[in-house]
């Protein structure tokens, strides 16, 4: 029951944010000028803005990025920038621990550096990637079609249904999905034990990121707690923490995998996240060893 309630309340916290996201998506889809004029998350500063929002200590923005990406409204690099910048509960935990508070600013700067760099690099590599404006326009035209039973902006569909009821239904569906996944991972973490996972992180500065990168991929706030706890207890190096938190996209990954039609794409994105996390962790640990910091 305790695990059930924890999963319920943790997921419930996302409900208002999810609803606002879906309202935003509906506005973007129906107001075509926003997509045609390339909004801030579609323009040249998109990776920077995405990284800055991802740094806010909660996983709501990774959920938003996953939904916008799945709808074809932002580019791959922009979504990865948000994912890499996300740290879930890590920053809050570190700020509350005097022994780790000094590492918050270096962590934020490094994650910002990696997320922005990866965002621009991926967007450059996939420079021909097109936003799904045609699909959005087609959907908008469908809403504008004539209907004898109503009038207004959307033709028979009232603003209440478009901007409240439809987002609410979508929010309830994704909330239930997130709750079930969160509950399953909660039982797994309880059975295995977060402390046991933290204690199992062995190896030197160049091996630890291979393990912390995998832990970071767990779509649950427990992963950031485990990684932060392992760092504050001296079980892992700072670079290993950076690597683990670079792959810690939280519930954003769950939202991506909800689209089973693009399973191959999602697997490639997860592998990419893991590789980036490992490279980031090893690089930071390498520099720290070079300057005799560890």
């Amino acid at each position: 029951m305790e695990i059930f309630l924890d999963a319920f309340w943790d997921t419930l916290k996302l409900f208002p944010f999810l609803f606002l996201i879906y309202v935003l998506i509906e506005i973007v889809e129906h107001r075509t000028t926003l997509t045609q004029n390339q909004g801030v998350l579609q323009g040249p500063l998109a990776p920077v803005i995405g990284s800055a929002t991802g740094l806010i200590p909660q996983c709501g923005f990774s959920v938003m990025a996953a939904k916008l990406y799945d709808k074809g409204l932002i580019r791959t690099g922009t979504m990865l920038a948000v994912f890499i910048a996300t740290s879930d509960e890590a920053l809050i935990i570190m700020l509350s621990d005097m022994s780790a508070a000094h590492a918050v600013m270096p962590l934020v700067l490094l994650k910002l550096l990696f997320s922005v760099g990866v965002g621009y690099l991926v967007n450059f590599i996939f420079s021909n990637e097109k936003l799904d404006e045609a699909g959005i326009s087609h959907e908008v035209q469908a809403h504008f079609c004539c209907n004898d039973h109503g009038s207004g902006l959307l033709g028979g569909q009232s603003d209440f249904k478009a901007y409240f009821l439809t987002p609410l239904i979508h929010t309830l569906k994704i909330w239930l999905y997130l709750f079930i996944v969160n509950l399953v991972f909660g039982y797994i973490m309880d059975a295995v034990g977060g402390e046991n996972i933290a204690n199992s992180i062995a190896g030197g500065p160049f091996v630890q990121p291979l393990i912390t990168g995998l832990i970071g991929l767990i779509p649950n706030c427990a992963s950031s707690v485990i990684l932060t706890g392992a760092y504050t207890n001296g079980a892992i190096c700072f670079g290993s923490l950076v690597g683990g938190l670079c792959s810690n996209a939280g519930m954003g990954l769950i939202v991506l995998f909800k689209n089973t039609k693009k399973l191959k794409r999602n697997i490639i994105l997860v592998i990419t996240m893991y590789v980036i996390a490992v490279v980031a962790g090893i690089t930071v640990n390498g520099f720290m060893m070079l300057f005799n910091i560890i």
Side-chain angles (χ1 to χ4, degrees):
M1 181 56 68
E2 183 179 354
I3 297 172
F4 179 89
L5 290 175
D6 285 343
F8 177 80
W9 289 116
D10 286 344
T11 313
L12 185 63
K13 294 174 184 177
L14 284 175
F15 191 91
F17 195 85
L18 286 171
F19 178 70
L20 290 176
I21 291 169
Y22 278 110
V23 171
L24 174 63
I25 290 175
E26 288 296 321
I27 292 174
V28 170
E29 288 189 345
H30 293 114
R31 309 281 182 171
T32 55
T33 53
L34 289 178
T35 55
Q36 291 172 351
N37 292 332
Q38 298 290 295
V40 291
L41 287 178
Q42 300 170 333
L45 291 177
V48 176
I49 297 173
S51 298
T53 55
L55 286 172
I56 298 175
Q58 44 90 10
C59 63
F61 287 105
S62 68
V63 173
M64 177 189 73
K67 288 303 302 179
L68 292 177
Y69 177 68
D70 211 36
K71 291 260 186 187
L73 300 177
I74 62 174
R75 304 185 190 281
T76 304
T78 303
M79 184 208 63
L80 286 175
V82 177
F83 276 20
I84 295 170
T86 300
S87 298
D88 216 340
E89 306 291 336
L91 297 181
I92 297 176
I93 297 172
M94 292 176 70
L95 285 172
S96 63
D97 189 332
M98 293 300 296
S99 64
H102 68 281
V104 171
M105 188 55 66
L107 174 64
V108 168
L109 292 176
L110 285 170
K111 281 176 67 68
L112 186 63
L113 175 65
F114 285 121
S115 59
V116 171
V118 169
Y120 276 111
L121 177 62
V122 173
N123 281 348
F124 175 77
I125 294 174
F126 297 101
S127 57
N128 294 326
E129 182 181 14
K130 302 295 182 181
L131 298 175
D132 191 17
E133 295 182 12
I136 295 173
S137 299
H138 177 75
E139 185 175 342
V140 172
Q141 289 175 6
H143 286 300
F144 270 88
C145 67
C146 296
N147 191 316
D148 294 334
H149 299 286
S151 59
L153 175 66
L154 302 176
Q157 183 176 354
S158 67
D159 288 352
F160 173 78
K161 182 177 180 181
Y163 300 126
F164 180 81
L165 190 58
T166 299
L168 181 61
I169 293 173
H170 286 317
T171 302
L172 288 170
K173 289 180 178 178
I174 193 64
W175 179 85
L176 181 60
Y177 181 79
L178 292 173
F179 170 68
I180 293 173
V181 174
N182 213 11
L183 183 63
V184 171
F185 273 103
Y187 278 114
I188 293 175
M189 296 301 296
D190 182 69
V192 178
E195 185 176 347
N196 291 332
I197 296 177
N199 292 335
S200 68
I201 305 176
F206 300 118
V207 177
Q208 289 177 359
L210 296 172
I211 303 172
T212 57
L214 287 174
I215 295 175
L217 290 173
I218 299 174
N220 185 285
C221 62
S223 58
S224 63
V225 175
I226 291 171
L227 290 169
T228 309
Y231 172 71
T232 55
N233 290 321
I236 60 175
C237 304
F238 177 70
S240 305
L241 173 67
V242 173
L245 293 179
C246 279
S247 62
N248 187 230
M251 295 185 183
L253 291 177
I254 298 177
V255 175
L256 270 186
F257 275 91
K258 190 175 184 293
N259 188 346
T260 56
K261 294 181 180 179
K262 296 184 178 181
L263 183 61
K264 181 179 179 180
R265 179 207 67 179
N266 297 335
I267 293 175
I268 292 175
L269 287 172
V270 169
I271 293 174
T272 302
M273 288 277 296
Y274 176 69
V275 171
I276 292 170
V278 172
V279 171
I282 292 177
T283 301
V284 174
N285 281 341
F287 272 101
M288 293 182 72
M289 291 183 65
L290 182 64
F291 292 99
N292 295 319
I293 301 177
I294 58 175

